[in-house]
Amino acid sequence: MGKQRLYLFDTTLRDGAQTSGVDFTLADKLAIAGMLDELGIDYIEGGYPGANPTDTELFGTPRKFNATFTAFGMTRRPGRSASNDPGLAAVLEAKTDAICLVAKTWDYHVRIALETTKEENLASIRDSVRAAQARRREVLLDCEHFFDGYKSNPKYALACAKAAHDAGARWVVLCDTNGGTLPNEVEKIVGEVVKVVPGDHIGIHAHNDTEQAVANSFAAVHAGARQIQGTLNGLGERCGNANLVSIIPTLKLKPEFAGFEIGVSDAQLKKLVHVSHALDERLNRASNRHAPYVGESAFATKAGIHASAIMKDPATYEHVTPESVGNKRKVLVSEQAGKSNILAELERIGIKADKDDPRIARLLEVVKEREAIGYAYEAADASFEMLARRMLGTVPNYFDVTQFDVNVEQRNNAKGERVTVSMAVVKVKVGDENLISAAEGNGPVNALDQALRKDLGKYQKYIEGLKLTDYRVRILNAGTEAVTRVLIESEDETSDHWTTIGVSSNIIDASFQALMDSIVYKLVKSGAPA
Ligand SMILES: [Zn+2]
């Protein structure tokens, strides 16, 4: 018998954006969508067109993804026609493949929040689904408060689900909006729903208020649902949504789910740690070391009997292999294990290296020293590559910055307004040529960047297409001293992007390191001659 297809729907960019402290820019959204796409997620919900300028811009242009790009919105308001509802119109206008509409399915909410009749709410569901279908979009209907609604009035909740399905919705998504439903209840209720709407049209959208959103998602699958909605790292309002980062490997690796197939391949599964950590870096927050599967400690064992058993056979204390999700086993700091990590990393970026080359052992040492003082090479692929290439002797010394000077000045401008301006002067030696550039910027780092990239002599043409797309700062507490970690994301004319890092007690110095790595990376990448 063939495997049954389970679909994954990510709502990090919509429900995840409700997380307190999270505020995605357009660049964030595009970068995260790109990661989700690389991971093999089936549906990416981008946001709520019309609700804010970022989402409106996001949906104003057709986006190319393997995944089905989805816009979110509300069913038509009571008393209005589908063609005369500006909210619905904004969603229907969105340049997407699919539309996910949310509707009330709890009679209590229909009465209190919508102040309308149950019949009018059913009509709203039907009309809205049909309107989206008429635009040739795949339609999903989110049944808000479905489980609480079912408990209060099962007949009405089921009628809502059936109305959406009958009107042509591809998916009817059952939402545990308050997040308080328990797995046994989810399984029982979904079991009733699939008698009315076939399971391969049912999705589950669980919130994590009893820390069982993942378990609730699986309970729904057991009962017949075939789409799981969730977010990366369980982002979301209050206690978050179902965590896809835990759901994906469980579906892939546990014999329990061997009868199912998802869009994430074994190779894509190996990117899971990277994706999870990259999201945290983007949110400028520390990753949860103890996160299942992907946490730094998920496969770490302290010395003792566990460690010696693990050395003999890792399966003794591991429920899955760390490599399957791109994680690493940590047992003491074994020289050999560390070296194989470095070799794997070099292979990943296309550098051939011999495992017995003494420079590899030295590279490992330097990485460990630097990570101990705050560098995070996992988040800064290009800086790792530059470090490795330098130590293996494959980076030409293109230029030297012999001196730089950055100043910040506060003064009155010609209009008598108080302004703060920054200026940088950079002296660069390219071959025998000494070049001096000066630039103003809206801040010291911006001024330094402008000056540094203003004139690199014969190399200038290789960096013309270089753009900085993101700049993130974190203060780390290393012992008693605070150090600054700067991560810079760059992009070039080929839409390639990379991240570089700098660490220093001085923010300008940390930024300078990251800027330099990015420029040199671009020169190497462009094949600039030595
Ligand atoms: Zn939700």
Side-chain angles (χ1 to χ4, degrees), residues 126-146:
R126 282 191 293 265
D127 293 350
S128 308
V129 168
R130 284 184 190 135
Q133 258 209 327
R135 300 289 182 112
R136 299 175 189 285
R137 304 292 205 282
E138 181 175 338
V139 191
L140 298 93
L141 189 94
D142 262 7
C143 298
E144 194 185 45
H145 296 292
F146 184 82

Side-chain angles (χ1 to χ4, degrees), residues 280-332:
D280 287 326
E281 276 302 340
R282 192 158 273 281
L283 297 175
N284 208 6
R285 64 179 200 178
S287 292
N288 174 8
R289 300 179 68 90
H290 304 285
Y293 295 103
V294 296
E296 219 180 306
S297 300
F299 299 95
T301 312
K302 264 195 174 171
I305 52 165
H306 293 186
S308 63
I310 279 196
M311 298 294 232
K312 287 177 197 151
D313 180 2
T316 50
Y317 283 93
E318 288 171 357
H319 72 118
V320 298
T321 65
E323 295 79 16
S324 58
V325 292
N327 210 339
K328 293 165 196 163
R329 176 173 304 124
K330 274 195 180 168
V331 185
L332 311 170

Side-chain angles (χ1 to χ4, degrees), residues 11 14-15 142 175-177 205-207 229 237 241:
T11 181
R14 200 269 302 172
D15 234 359
D142 262 7
C175 302
D176 186 25
T177 310
H205 176 110
H207 278 263
Q229 299 202 342
E237 205 168 14
N241 285 57

Side-chain angles (χ1 to χ4, degrees), residues 248-257 266 269 293 319-321 324-325:
I248 292 168
T250 302
L251 290 173
K252 290 283 294 177
L253 302 172
K254 296 295 173 182
E256 171 90 12
F257 296 102
D266 293 352
L269 184 63
Y293 295 103
H319 72 118
V320 298
T321 65
S324 58
V325 292

